[in-house]
Amino acid sequence: PRRILSGIQASGALHLGNYLGALKRFTQLQDTGAPCFLFVADLHAITVWQDPALLTAQTREIAAAYLASGLDPARSVIFPQSAVRAHSELAWIFNCVARLGWLDRMTQFKEKTGKHKERASVGLYTYPVLQAADILLYKATEVPTGEDQKQHLELTRDIAAKFNNDFNAPGFFPLPEPLTQGPAPRVMSLRDGAAKMSKSDPSDQSRINLTDDADTIVAKIRKARTDPDALPETLEGLEGRAEAKNLVTIYAALADMSREAVLAQFAGQGFGAFKPALADLAVASMAPVSAEMRRLMADPTEIDRVLKDGAARAAAIADPVVDEVKKIVGFWRG
Ligand code: AQP
């Protein structure tokens, strides 16, 4: 049976890349009828310093974003990762399955630490191992993520295969499929078409935050980097024009159109015409989501109820799996 799982880190403001690459995609998948498990990755968030006074609010904010994007807690299981202890337990066991050589190849760790590797937390290094535990604990079959997570998904498959093999438990963990196809699997920075839109980019102009008001969204799109040429008639005409391609992709994803259809509409027009249309569309699409997030955050009772109920439903699936893993590994069970 299909089972879809994904998470978002509780580490600060969400942006348009998270919305199009993850949140909007999750809602589309939920609407196919497959069971979805969506968690707030608070264990992952603390791989870099999080102020304890803010972490709870950040967790609620991600939950609010799930709900505001259209995820239905009656159909989808929405929960905080740390509330289901099995995640941490399985992660430790997987730390002993994964090989150092595998983790040494992870590009996200290298990108996030740069030249200061020795000052990074050990948790940041084993981050993808925890991710493998998150996924395999639910025996998820499909994992929707942005393209940046593809390498981590491959590591999850390697861990599953090695566990099944080392413990002579063929097929115990299914090998999950990454779902990186979507309307916008890699939204790029508004200032640099070669960098992904990211919450850790020091320039706030590089991204549209889910909490930005209409004027801010319009101003950021007006100032977005582009080129002086008009929009082409075909997708090939966007090759080598990373910034132009990004804005067309964003338009298509927000409007639920193909990029070809967007070009058919705007071919021959310059960014002086395209940018205001994109800004209108972005404001119209994002405003209801951010308004609903603000409503939910104003009184967290509803969010807390969803998270508590989700944690109980998630644990009911995860706990028996981790119990079985402990048996397979040979831990004393009395
Ligand atoms: N630019 C993006 N385009 C498409 N999808 C994206 N995602 C992130 N950035 C883009 C997807 O959003 C989901 C949640 O990601 P996360 O919570 O793991 O956060 P992240 O990937 O760490 O997000 P950032 O903004 O890129 O944070 P930093 O700057 O800290 O690395 C995932 O499915 C992710 O693929």
Side-chain angles (χ1 to χ4, degrees):
R2 289 177 74 196
R3 191 177 276 165
I4 289 166
L5 178 134
S6 200
I8 295 184
Q9 280 194 74
S11 54
L14 290 167
H15 52 74
L16 188 64
N18 300 131
Y19 178 69
L20 293 175
L23 291 163
K24 192 170 161 155
R25 184 89 181 102
F26 300 163
T27 346
Q28 292 168 341
L29 287 164
Q30 169 188 263
D31 293 343
T32 66
C36 291
F37 289 76
L38 300 164
F39 60 94
V40 183
D42 51 359
L43 297 173
H44 276 115
I46 64 161
T47 56
V48 296
W49 171 251
Q50 301 295 332
D51 184 343
L54 300 178
L55 187 56
T56 305
Q58 288 169 191
T59 301
R60 288 183 176 132
E61 190 175 332
I62 304 294
Y66 281 141
L67 297 173
S69 307
L71 291 161
D72 170 8
R75 286 188 282 160
S76 295
V77 182
I78 298 171
F79 62 101
Q81 185 186 27
S82 66
V84 180
R85 291 173 190 206
H87 288 253
S88 302
E89 262 188 282
L90 188 59
W92 174 258
I93 294 169
F94 283 173
N95 270 329
C96 304
V97 174
R99 305 290 93 183
L100 269 181
W102 299 357
L103 288 181
D104 279 341
R105 286 197 287 275
M106 296 296 117
T107 55
Q108 190 180 78
F109 178 76
K110 290 181 204 162
E111 280 159 19
K112 287 200 170 177
T113 53
K115 290 189 209 82
H116 306 289
K117 197 173 109 180
E118 55 294 324
R119 293 221 298 264
S121 74
V122 176
L124 191 65
Y125 189 71
T126 64
Y127 179 115
V129 177
L130 174 58
Q131 208 171 331
D134 300 334
I135 296 165
L136 297 174
L137 205 41
Y138 300 89
K139 300 191 174 182
T141 54
E142 291 148 84
V143 184
T145 65
E147 247 168 32
D148 56 324
Q149 293 297 325
K150 226 171 166 170
Q151 195 187 32
H152 289 170
L153 250 295
E154 272 158 31
L155 185 90
T156 295
R157 292 166 61 92
D158 289 343
I159 290 176
K162 184 162 165 59
F163 180 93
N164 292 347
N165 183 63
D166 287 359
F167 293 101
N168 197 17
F172 181 76
F173 286 122
L175 306 193
E177 293 295 334
L179 295 183
T180 48
Q181 259 79 346
R186 193 166 164 84
V187 177
M188 309 310 280
S189 154
L190 298 180
R191 310 297 296 163
D192 175 2
K196 79 161 190 158
M197 188 177 284
S198 157
K199 54 173 103 77
S200 52
D201 192 317
S203 164
D204 193 58
Q205 296 296 320
S206 71
R207 64 185 159 260
I208 293 174
N209 302 304
L210 243 52
T211 46
D212 282 345
D213 60 23
D215 290 347
T216 311
I217 295 177
V218 172
K220 284 180 179 175
I221 292 179
R222 183 164 14 94
K223 284 191 224 130
R225 207 170 131 186
T226 42
D227 55 47
D229 296 342
L231 283 168
E233 276 169 22
T234 62
L235 274 182
E236 292 79 67
L238 288 174
E239 286 316 314
R241 298 174 65 187
E243 285 85 10
K245 190 174 180 178
N246 188 39
L247 295 188
V248 169
T249 304
I250 292 174
Y251 190 105
L254 286 171
D256 292 316
M257 286 165 77
S258 68
R259 289 183 296 183
E260 288 84 351
V262 176
L263 290 179
Q265 194 177 326
F266 290 97
Q269 300 189 42
F271 285 95
F274 183 68
K275 279 180 169 180
L278 176 61
D280 284 349
L281 176 63
V283 169
S285 318
M286 309 304 289
V289 178
S290 50
E292 177 63 358
M293 278 178 72
R294 274 195 299 276
R295 185 192 73 78
L296 288 161
M297 296 286 291
D299 171 9
T301 316
E302 189 180 340
I303 296 175
D304 288 349
R305 197 175 49 232
V306 167
L307 289 175
K308 193 171 172 203
D309 173 62
R313 284 153 71 201
I317 302 216
D319 289 352
V321 172
V322 91
D323 280 346
E324 223 178 320
V325 168
K326 288 160 99 173
K327 194 165 129 197
I328 290 172
V329 170
F331 287 152
W332 177 86
R333 289 154 37 86

